[in-house]
Amino acid sequence: MKINIACPSTGLQKVIEIDDEKRLQNLYERRMAQEIDGTVLGDEFAGYVMRITGGNDKQGFPMRQGILTNTRVRLLMHKGHKGYRQRRAGERKRKSIRGCIVGQDIAVLNLAIVKIGDNTIAGLTDDSVPRRLGPKRANKIRALFNLTKEDDVTKYVISRTFTSKKGKEVRRAPKIQRLVTPLVLQRKRQRKALKLASVLRNKEDAAAYKKLIAQRTAEQKDARRSLISKRRSTRRSQKVAEA
């Protein structure tokens, strides 16, 4: 079984292969998101604590959290499910997926280091790879550099400088998301004013419609009264003529 070990704090990962069945027995029947002791993999990992993040079986089917079995099952999947990509809108399909329990037919098991031990492991904890891309969201930039609301976030965004094909120095930086600027506040006030104006206009239209309905109803009643009075007068005149 291949063990893919990742160290999030350094950004490095390493693949080791274990063929000893006695050592692999300690990994069987473990679930995803469970933490294991590093001595299970070898004495060089003493003091390390690792978390199972996933894996693939020999045919390449990935493990999926929430399926409490160590075998392969067929699930009816739709958009948003792991291990499935829909081709048409609203499409559902039954696909094979591996359970979240480690079994003997797992080919690659993914582990993430939660706690680093005393020993330094070559290619895993002896070096670090800096993040090429920094955060884009304003609050995440504030959390990274411990900034306050008054600090200017645009001065702390992580950018990179490179030379273009024309020989010019070009600076590239991501667009900061969810940044509250005077323009954003102005648009927010405009949306609020438009919404309030719409409510007032609807009230005025409703009042005018109500007034118009009352006027039409009164006109109909007057027309009805005049028609009834005409009929009565006609009947009286007929009776007088007959008498």
Side-chain angles (χ1 to χ4, degrees):
M1 181 187 292
K2 290 184 179 180
I3 310 294
N4 186 10
I5 306 171
C7 185
S9 59
T10 61
L12 298 173
Q13 64 179 13
K14 186 177 183 179
V15 179
I16 62 174
E17 192 163 355
I18 300 176
D19 296 327
D20 189 3
E21 192 66 26
K22 291 183 179 179
R23 290 164 65 184
L24 293 176
Q25 287 291 335
N26 297 317
L27 295 175
Y28 294 154
E29 301 303 322
R30 299 290 185 98
R31 296 182 185 177
M32 288 176 61
Q34 275 190 346
E35 295 183 355
I36 61 173
D37 192 5
T39 54
V40 173
L41 305 179
D43 296 334
E44 66 270 17
F45 293 98
Y48 284 77
V49 178
M50 304 179 185
R51 184 177 68 251
I52 301 175
T53 58
N56 296 344
D57 62 4
K58 295 177 182 178
Q59 285 74 34
F61 291 95
M63 297 173 65
R64 181 169 164 183
Q65 183 67 284
I67 304 173
L68 301 179
T69 180
N70 59 356
T71 58
R72 198 185 302 166
V73 295
R74 288 175 61 82
L75 299 180
L76 188 63
M77 298 187 185
H78 56 81
K79 182 181 179 180
H81 283 183
K82 292 184 179 179
Y84 173 69
R85 179 172 62 89
Q86 73 168 8
R87 268 66 173 182
R88 298 176 62 184
E91 183 186 42
R92 295 190 301 169
K93 197 171 184 180
R94 196 169 295 276
K95 301 280 287 185
S96 295
I97 202 80
R98 170 68 52 180
C100 68
I101 300 176
V102 181
Q104 295 182 354
D105 48 358
I106 294 293
V108 181
L109 188 66
N110 302 326
L111 303 177
I113 295 178
V114 178
K115 180 184 175 184
I116 298 177
D118 299 330
N119 300 331
T120 301
I121 301 173
L124 196 60
T125 58
D126 59 344
D127 196 5
S128 64
V129 177
R131 290 178 58 183
R132 192 179 74 86
L133 301 177
K136 292 178 65 177
R137 194 179 299 177
N139 283 338
K140 291 192 175 182
I141 296 174
R142 291 190 185 101
L144 180 63
F145 294 102
N146 196 17
L147 304 177
T148 60
K149 292 283 187 179
E150 288 75 20
D151 294 328
D152 189 7
V153 183
T154 57
K155 296 179 181 178
Y156 294 90
V157 64
I158 298 176
S159 61
R160 61 189 180 95
T161 306
F162 62 95
T163 305
S164 64
K165 294 180 179 179
K166 297 181 179 180
K168 294 182 179 180
E169 289 288 330
V170 181
R171 178 180 174 273
R172 284 288 168 84
K175 181 183 177 182
I176 301 176
Q177 304 295 321
R178 302 187 187 181
L179 182 63
V180 180
T181 60
L183 183 60
V184 172
L185 296 176
Q186 179 185 347
R187 288 173 179 166
K188 186 177 180 181
R189 288 193 299 268
Q190 184 185 13
R191 286 196 302 270
K192 188 175 180 181
L194 291 174
K195 194 172 183 181
L196 183 60
S198 176
V199 170
L200 295 176
R201 186 172 62 253
N202 290 339
K203 284 185 178 180
E204 292 175 357
D205 293 344
Y209 180 71
K210 191 174 181 181
K211 184 179 179 181
L212 180 63
I213 290 295
Q215 181 182 351
R216 295 283 174 83
T217 306
E219 290 175 357
Q220 289 177 359
K221 286 182 178 179
D222 293 341
R224 178 75 175 171
R225 289 195 194 102
S226 63
L227 180 62
I228 291 173
S229 63
K230 284 181 181 179
R231 286 178 180 174
R232 286 175 181 174
S233 62
T234 305
R235 288 173 185 172
R236 286 173 188 169
S237 60
Q238 287 177 356
K239 286 180 180 181
V240 170
E242 290 175 358

